[in-house]
Amino acid sequence: MTAGPPTDPHGATAAELKARIGAERRGTPFLVYRDGDGKQAIVELSGGQITVGRRADNDIVLSWDQEVSRIHAQLEQVGGDWCVIDDGLSRNGSWLNAERVRGRHRLKNGDRLCFGATVVDYRAPAEGESKSTISVPGRMGEIEVTEAQRKVLVSLCRPLVESAFATPATNKTIADEVFLSVDAVKAHLRVLFERFGMEALPQNQKRASLAAAAFLNDVVRPHDL
């Protein structure tokens, strides 16, 4: 029986999340995965063609994964897009969004690849109006917030520890965690949107952008979560 692809939620610490947000802001397509020690690895894609495999002369070396072949698969840039290619090089196959790769497939922002037992997320921040791409200002110097506002920010950011691309907490969730009314949470968020210069953003972008900016500007730090 052919084995299906492994699953991995790619849980992230606040520091790892900050690194992912930084990669997204640079706008270059990149891969994110965990190495043999469980550490996050981010590989920004460039150069036209990249090989993936267990052997040391590959561009992406997955030497710890015994289910990965010596030369397992290729990633190739075609125009402005990247494709994954597995033409039978690998013993256990490559997987794209739970489907086995046969030949060449164009990658889209948010696609999940599996090589052996290693799960790799593909991100293309500049691709269209992807929901995962957020508008984030650069470092803004010292930003002063009250203790209540900081608690709201920490609660807003907490779901992003589990996944860098998770949805920030809802007003109701924040209210329950910090023991405020929903109206009070909304009032604090309105002030924070203004303080971080986000009052002009579309409503559906404000929360994710605020959470990202809180990490980038060290208003929310790993020990807070």
Side-chain angles (χ1 to χ4, degrees):
M1 183 175 68
T2 302
T7 57
D8 178 3
H10 275 308
T13 66
E16 290 171 339
L17 172 62
K18 188 173 179 179
R20 295 186 197 182
I21 292 170
E24 287 230 344
R25 289 186 68 243
R26 288 190 289 276
T28 303
F30 66 94
L31 304 177
V32 57
Y33 59 94
R34 294 201 174 275
D35 66 17
D37 296 322
K39 296 179 181 178
Q40 175 177 275
I42 293 176
V43 177
E44 296 191 17
L45 299 177
S46 62
Q49 189 174 82
I50 290 174
T51 58
V52 180
R54 202 171 72 247
R55 205 165 65 187
D57 59 355
N58 287 286
D59 298 298
I60 296 178
V61 181
L62 308 180
S63 56
W64 64 88
D65 191 338
Q66 294 304 305
E67 295 184 28
V68 170
S69 298
R70 287 176 295 175
I71 302 176
H72 195 98
Q74 293 176 309
L75 296 173
E76 184 177 82
Q77 190 173 22
V78 180
D81 296 324
W82 281 86
C83 299
V84 59
I85 306 166
D86 190 329
D87 288 324
L89 287 173
S90 63
R91 182 179 68 252
N92 293 319
S94 303
W95 301 77
L96 173 61
N97 299 328
E99 296 290 334
R100 186 158 185 167
V101 174
R102 301 186 189 280
R104 180 191 304 260
H105 290 270
R106 185 175 72 85
L107 296 175
K108 303 184 300 297
N109 183 43
D111 278 347
R112 173 156 290 187
L113 295 157
C114 294
F115 304 117
T118 302
V119 181
V120 179
D121 283 339
Y122 171 77
R123 312 304 299 182
E127 212 174 80
E129 291 294 325
S130 170
K131 291 188 294 183
S132 65
T133 303
I134 52 182
S135 175
V136 186
R139 294 194 65 85
M140 303 165 65
E142 185 174 354
I143 299 173
E144 293 186 4
V145 297
T146 67
E147 184 59 25
Q149 289 164 356
R150 198 180 70 83
K151 288 179 179 178
V152 168
L153 276 174
V154 169
S155 183
L156 178 77
C157 294
R158 201 177 301 283
L160 279 71
V161 174
E162 298 300 323
S163 168
F165 312 112
T167 302
T170 65
N171 291 340
K172 177 65 165 59
T173 299
I174 296 171
D176 290 343
E177 182 175 326
V178 302
F179 304 106
L180 292 172
S181 68
V182 171
D183 286 341
V185 169
K186 289 180 180 178
H188 282 308
L189 286 172
R190 282 195 295 270
V191 173
L192 288 165
F193 292 145
E194 182 176 351
R195 194 154 294 174
F196 280 80
M198 296 177 179
E199 63 271 26
L201 286 179
Q203 197 63 38
N204 63 352
Q205 293 183 20
K206 285 183 176 180
R207 300 172 73 83
S209 295
L210 179 60
F215 277 113
L216 284 173
N217 290 279
D218 294 324
V219 179
V220 175
R221 300 181 179 183
H223 68 265
D224 296 324
L225 305 173

